[in-house]
Amino acid sequence: MFSYRHGYHAGNHADVLKHLCQMLLLNKLAEKDKAFVYLDTHSGAGIYDLTSAQAQKTGEYKDGIDRLLDADCQDPNIRTYLKLVEDYRKFNRYPGSPELARTLTRSQDSLQLMEWHNNEVQNLRGNFKGVDNAHIHHRNGFEGLVAMSPPKPARGLVLIDPSYEVESDYQDVVTSVTQAHKRWKTGVFAIWYPLLAKRRDRSERMLKALSSISATDVVDIQLKLLPQDQEVGMYGSGMVVINPPWQFDQQLNALLPELVTALKDWPGASHSLTWLARSE
């Protein structure tokens, strides 16, 4: 868990899906004047240099944000997301989830940013120097989520996106979300996860456990861009959202077809939106 650096993957197709969902959720919260809290359990550095050795080694951003910027997308939410990131891209940078949250929150809102990696938390502090409503915590995000629940005000969003480089991350997601939800039933929980080759994938068990959290709505969004039978790497990624706001699913259903068209390399690429649980 201490070796993972998101700089290798910044701006890839998984970031695109994750940050589109994050933007939609934060914008929904901001529709009301009441303050809210944004919690990020695995914040990373906050902003990434796409000319760095890490980003250049993989070049994953070329098949993610760069491909989307080159596409002629018409969906208004995709266009809003691109407007958020295009100024960073002009300077060879990409905004991570904390930076996107900073741009989408207001002075009355607060950002609680957790990061456990020693070097990354220092980078995060440097990138957020002078941001008055951001609070940075050098701690394990799973533990921190439970300890901070419920936040004040008890209105807000949690983004959880561990590396899943260790198998225990899947169970840690379930355990921490279950415990936090017991304390904070009105919170919106957004969990990113990779879609991996069958012999490595552990997401189905995690999704089943998250769908069983009582008396709540749970929606799962998946983007599949490569054949599942590949032996290494991600063939796609997903976002599962607990307590999604009204019309969040409609916004995604409208943009997902265009997103797949813009990002696909494989004719079998697909998307899905599935309700895993409904409280009604």
Side-chain angles (χ1 to χ4, degrees):
M1 71 170 67
F2 294 103
S3 63
Y4 178 82
R5 306 293 292 273
H6 190 66
Y8 290 102
H9 313 291
N12 68 2
H13 61 76
D15 264 2
V16 168
L17 175 63
K18 175 174 62 180
H19 293 150
L20 270 166
C21 290
Q22 177 194 8
M23 180 196 76
L24 294 175
L25 294 169
L26 287 172
N27 284 344
K28 280 289 184 181
L29 287 168
E31 286 178 358
K32 295 183 179 179
D33 291 336
K34 292 181 180 179
F36 64 85
V37 179
Y38 170 77
L39 285 83
D40 200 319
T41 63
H42 296 76
S43 295
I47 305 174
Y48 300 95
D49 179 1
L50 298 182
T51 66
S52 69
Q54 293 175 349
Q56 289 299 310
K57 182 175 181 178
T58 61
E60 291 184 13
Y61 64 90
K62 296 174 185 176
D63 292 328
I65 187 58
D66 279 7
R67 185 170 289 186
L68 192 62
L69 283 166
D70 289 340
D72 184 25
C73 294
Q74 298 303 309
D75 179 85
N77 286 309
I78 293 179
R79 292 174 74 90
T80 299
Y81 162 69
L82 291 177
K83 184 173 285 190
L84 285 173
V85 302
E86 64 184 357
D87 285 342
Y88 294 89
R89 187 65 190 93
K90 288 176 184 176
F91 295 96
N92 295 312
R93 303 198 301 170
Y94 182 79
S97 52
E99 178 67 5
L100 283 175
R102 184 192 66 78
T103 67
L104 294 167
T105 51
R106 306 151 306 175
S107 58
Q108 67 264 40
D109 307 320
S110 69
L111 285 70
Q112 303 293 336
L113 309 177
M114 292 170 264
E115 177 53 47
W116 195 213
H117 193 288
N118 291 331
N119 293 335
E120 289 292 73
V121 76
Q122 292 304 320
N123 293 332
L124 182 65
R125 286 178 173 143
N127 286 326
F128 276 73
K129 187 176 182 180
V131 182
D132 293 337
N133 66 338
H135 308 275
I136 296 171
H137 309 268
H138 186 193
R139 70 193 303 178
N140 181 309
F142 295 124
E143 172 271 328
L145 170 59
V146 178
M148 292 184 191
S149 296
K152 292 184 179 180
R155 178 173 182 263
L157 167 67
V158 182
L159 180 65
I160 305 165
D161 62 334
S163 67
Y164 299 96
E165 285 193 333
V166 290
E167 190 174 327
S168 60
D169 279 354
Y170 293 91
Q171 184 56 50
D172 287 340
V173 166
V174 173
T175 301
S176 62
V177 170
T178 301
Q179 292 177 357
H181 181 263
K182 286 179 181 178
R183 301 181 180 189
W184 186 22
K185 293 190 180 297
T186 59
V188 180
F189 297 79
I191 302 112
W192 174 86
Y193 62 93
L195 292 170
L196 305 171
K198 285 186 177 180
R199 63 184 180 85
R200 297 177 56 214
D201 193 84
R202 303 290 184 273
S203 61
E204 286 188 15
R205 184 181 299 177
M206 183 184 74
L207 293 177
K208 184 176 181 180
L210 291 172
S211 69
S212 67
I213 292 177
S214 61
T216 192
D217 295 332
V218 184
V219 65
D220 178 48
I221 305 101
Q222 293 189 356
L223 197 62
K224 300 176 181 178
L225 298 173
L226 294 167
Q228 186 178 3
D229 58 3
Q230 63 173 353
E231 288 299 310
V232 294
M234 295 188 300
Y235 70 89
S237 65
M239 287 288 289
V240 58
V241 181
I242 297 169
N243 290 332
W246 183 61
Q247 293 186 332
F248 174 70
D249 59 327
Q250 296 177 33
Q251 291 175 314
L252 280 164
N253 276 326
L255 70 81
L256 283 170
E258 195 168 21
L259 186 65
V260 170
T261 299
L263 297 180
K264 70 179 181 180
D265 249 344
W266 171 54
S270 66
H271 63 85
S272 64
L273 187 149
T274 307
W275 287 96
L276 303 181
R278 299 300 298 264
S279 59
E280 299 173 354

